[in-house]
């Protein structure tokens, strides 16, 4: 049979061409890639239901790189009816990985938001990156979400970045559901994955499903709560998983499956009873003779309470790529994860029904300008309205309100509390800003907070004290110079870098005081590479990057005291200031720098002078005495400041900075280097050369664990020794190893290594 399909527009991606297909068809394209059923109709984004707040779920998909986050998201959108075809990460045609860099590399770089509905619930979902260089994307997404789905590779269990994103979720007290993906892999192991969740994540996994079959014979699963068997029988490459058989377990079924279900269900009931007192009372009261007779509804309610209290995590299984197990995962999201009104937001209650929202992400659109993602916590947001930014202390007009669907946005007139929106027109707002309806609304919230506060000393509260907590931005560990091709392009490069910094707060840009070069500071090699590529593609500027360098830190070895006097005449004014201060080394583990004033016997300094002194100290902390890197672990005590009338604050700051530099040099400088936590997963036959290579890189091996057929090497290595490690590891292991790096701490360099570094920086080595 031949199908004649006419595409009205040529060009663009296959995905967009297929979306114009007016027939329901099965099409096989070039190669092995097969697009399954193409729907005749796809739900319009305008048709996404806007239910009561109790039916809204704001969730994130988080995992280690390549565990299947984007593939799982793609299946959710397809089964909910919002996409025509199943996209594939390898083919670069998924909805949420829409950047050119994401499609080329097959990884997620930016978090992407989509909204869809599932069984009378509205799900606002954010697909997050798994690479450690983009951990800020995960952090700011989790800040505004109510629940999360942690995806695991069932053959690997808990991996390095899994632990990082799990810690981030715990920091924001987010209830989670675990999804053991890739159950169709030959090495997939349910028991290994459960054990790794229990031991590495220090949580209680509550297994709600067990798989039917393993590896290539994985055909479905059994729901332990309802005792329902779900099987996906399609085996052809056109099978999309939309239809599956559901039936109750029957005595004639495989006895091994029946036995496994019976044991797993008994374990689950016992586990839930241990974690939930109400359920334990119910069991011991009404069902003491037969625990297994407890109704599925009561069991589900108990699992939900356990999940919301973060005493345990429901565990489900499936294979997103093979289209199995995703629909029950969607059911679990609506059943076990919290609605927005079930999450405790302390400050939001003071706003009552007035608008209170948090800006958590900014992207730049060439046509619309900056687009700001906001999470609405209370009230509603309307297009063509003015809003007040508490952090910037200014009012801005929002011209349009959009519903995000990855890179496609649908214009809407308003959106209620509990949802995620995209705004157009907020030109000053950045990540972490709190947005309310007006300055009067913020003042009213402050008055409500004051009236209910038991301690009347809080009567001096300002509106800024009712701003929502923002997002913590990690310090960059790599830097390099960046130069435009010509001076004529310098202004364009500065504009591009300003836009990219607003989008990505983990990217820092500074100017080198000695050379005048523009310096890019980022989270890793891949991060800087992506920024460089985006400047070229999106802003059409061919920039030149200098060599990647490590962001060292400095500290001092001992205490020292210094005195300095500045006497300068500018115009007809004479500025005279004398400063005496002492610097002390804090504990080795301290990453902060403090400044205190010695009050005894000294006249208290005016607020303006005090601020100028603090500014001088802080500016001195930015440039250490050895190599000019930022200083940490130092405490400064201001012992005396004397100045003549008419001396400006700027002169006070300059004198303090000069005195600080003198004291830091007297105290003896010590370079601190970033040390990375390294995890290498490698076959046993390649373990020896990998260990030898780590030793050559000044690395320390902390542990060697077993993971199925592989060995997992855990260690610490100085970042300076890890340049280009991926290429070396690929060569050593014939491509049979993976690794991940994460900043562990800053450690003092020994004298020999520090001298080598000093010579290298001076151009002598």
């Amino acid at each position: 049979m031949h199908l004649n399909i006419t595409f009205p527009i040529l060009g663009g991606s296959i995905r967009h061409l297929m979306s114009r297909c007016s027939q329901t068809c099965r099409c096989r394209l070039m190669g092995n890639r097969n697009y399954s059923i193409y729907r005749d109709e796809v739900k319009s984004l305008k048709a996404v239901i806007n239910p009561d707040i109790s039916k809204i779920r704001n969730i994130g998909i988080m995992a280690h790189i390549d565990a299947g986050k984007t593939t799982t998201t793609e299946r959710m959108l397809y089964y909910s009816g919002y996409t025509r075809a199943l996209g594939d990460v390898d083919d670069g045609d998924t909805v949420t990985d829409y950047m050119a860099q994401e499609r080329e590399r097959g990884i997620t770089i930016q978090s992407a938001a989509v909204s869809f509905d599932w069984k009378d619930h509205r799900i606002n979902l954010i697909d997050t990156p798994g690479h450690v260089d983009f951990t800020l994307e995960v952090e700011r997404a989790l800040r505004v979400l109510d629940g999360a789905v942690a995806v695991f590779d069932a053959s690997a269990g808990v991996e390095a970045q899994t632990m990082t994103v799990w810690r981030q979720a715990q920091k924001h007290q987010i209830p989670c559901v675990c999804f053991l993906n890739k159950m169709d892999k030959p090495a997939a192991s349910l028991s290994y994955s459960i054990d790794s969740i229990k031991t590495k994540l220090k949580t209680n996994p509550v297994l709600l499903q067990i798989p039917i079959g393993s590896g290539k014979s994985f055909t479905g699963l059994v729901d332990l709560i309802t005792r329902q068997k779900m099987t996906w029988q399609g085996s052809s490459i056109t099978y999309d998983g939309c239809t599956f058989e559901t039936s109750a377990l029957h005595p004639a079924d495989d006895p091994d499956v029946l036995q496994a279900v019976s044991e797993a269900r008994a374990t689950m009931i016992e586990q839930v009873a241990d974690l939930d007192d109400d359920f334990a009372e119910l069991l011991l009261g009404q069902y003491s003779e037969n625990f297994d007779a407890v109704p599925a509804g009561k069991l589900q309610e108990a699992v939900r309470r356990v999940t919301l209290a973060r005493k345990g995590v429901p565990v489900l299984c499936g294979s997103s790529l093979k289209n199995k197990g995703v629909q029950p995962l969607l059911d679990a999201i609506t059943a076990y994860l919290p609605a927005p009104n079930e999450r405790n937001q302390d400050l939001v209650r003071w706003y009552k029904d007035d608008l209170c929202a948090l800006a958590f992400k900014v992207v730049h659109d060439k046509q619309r300008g900056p687009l700001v993602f906001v999470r609405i916590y209370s009230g509603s947001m309307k297009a063509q309205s003015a809003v007040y930014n508490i952090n910037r202390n200014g009012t801005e007009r929002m011209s349009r309100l959009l519903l995000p669907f990855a890179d496609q946005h649908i214009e809407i007139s308003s959106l209620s509390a509990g949802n995620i929106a995209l705004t157009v027109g907020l030109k000053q707002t950045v990540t972490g800003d709190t947005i309310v309806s007006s300055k009067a609304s913020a003042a009213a919230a402050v008055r409500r907070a004051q009236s209910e506060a038991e301690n009347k000393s809080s009567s001096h509260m300002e509106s800024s004290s009712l701003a929502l907590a923002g997002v913590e931005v990690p310090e960059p560990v790599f830097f390099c110079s960046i130069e435009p091709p010509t001076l004529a392009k310098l202004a364009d490069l500065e504009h591009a870098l300003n836009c990219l910094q607003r989008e990505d707060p983990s990217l820092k840009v500074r100017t080198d005081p000695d050379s005048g070069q523009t310096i890019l500071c980022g989270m890793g090699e891949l991060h800087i590479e992506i920024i460089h590529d985006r400047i070229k593609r999106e802003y059409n500027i061919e920039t030149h990057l200098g060599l990647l360098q490590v962001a060292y830190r400095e500290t001092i070895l001992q205490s020292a005291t210094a005195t300095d006097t500045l006497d300068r005449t500018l115009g007809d004014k004479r500025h005279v200031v004398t400063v005496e201060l002492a610097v002390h080394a804090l504990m080795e583990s301290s990453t902060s720098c403090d400044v205190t004033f010695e009050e005894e016997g000294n006249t208290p300094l005016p607020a303006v002078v005090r601020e100028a002194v603090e500014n001088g100290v802080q500016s001195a902390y930015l440039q250490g005495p050895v190599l000019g890197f930022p200083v940490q672990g130092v405490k400064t005590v201001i012992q005396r400041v004397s100045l003549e009338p008419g001396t400006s604050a700027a002169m006070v700051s300059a004198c303090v900075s000069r005195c600080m530099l003198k004291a830091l040099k007297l105290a003896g400088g010590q370079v601190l280097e970033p040390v990375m936590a390294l995890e290498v997963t490698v076959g046993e036959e390649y373990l020896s050369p990998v260990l030898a290579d780590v030793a050559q890189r000044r690395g320390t091996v902390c542990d060697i664990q077993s993971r199925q057929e592989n060995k997992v090497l855990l260690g610490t290595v100085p970042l300076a020794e890890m340049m280009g490690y991926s290429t070396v590891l690929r060569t050593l292991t014939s491509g049979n190893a993976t690794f991940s790096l994460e900043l562990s701490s800053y450690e003092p360099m020994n004298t020999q290594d520090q001298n080598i570094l000093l010579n290298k920086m001076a151009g002598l080595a």
Side-chain angles (χ1 to χ4, degrees), residues 63-68 151-159 162 179-183 185 187-189 192-193 196:
H64 186 82
I65 191 167
D66 204 29
V151 180
F152 300 79
D153 180 338
S155 66
V158 174
E159 298 174 88
T162 317
F179 180 60
L180 303 182
N181 191 25
K182 306 190 180 184
M183 289 300 297
K185 289 177 73 171
S189 170
Y192 174 79
S193 299
S196 69

Side-chain angles (χ1 to χ4, degrees), residues 567-593:
D567 186 345
R568 194 166 295 173
T569 302
L570 294 177
D572 57 350
K573 277 192 175 181
R574 187 179 176 210
H575 305 265
V576 182
V577 56
T578 301
V579 176
E580 185 178 333
L581 55 81
V583 291
H584 306 283
L586 295 173
M587 290 170 50
E588 274 191 18
S589 58
S590 176
T591 59
S592 62
C593 284

Side-chain angles (χ1 to χ4, degrees), residues 129-149:
H131 198 285
V132 69
D133 282 19
F134 310 109
T135 190
L136 176 71
E137 286 290 319
V138 184
E139 176 73 24
R140 61 180 173 185
L142 291 175
R143 169 64 187 85
V144 297
L145 295 173
D146 302 317
V149 176

Side-chain angles (χ1 to χ4, degrees), residues 743-755:
L743 180 63
S744 174
S745 61
Y746 275 87
E747 300 293 338
M749 296 183 77
N750 63 46
T751 307
Q752 182 183 353
D753 291 331
Q754 182 167 318
N755 289 336

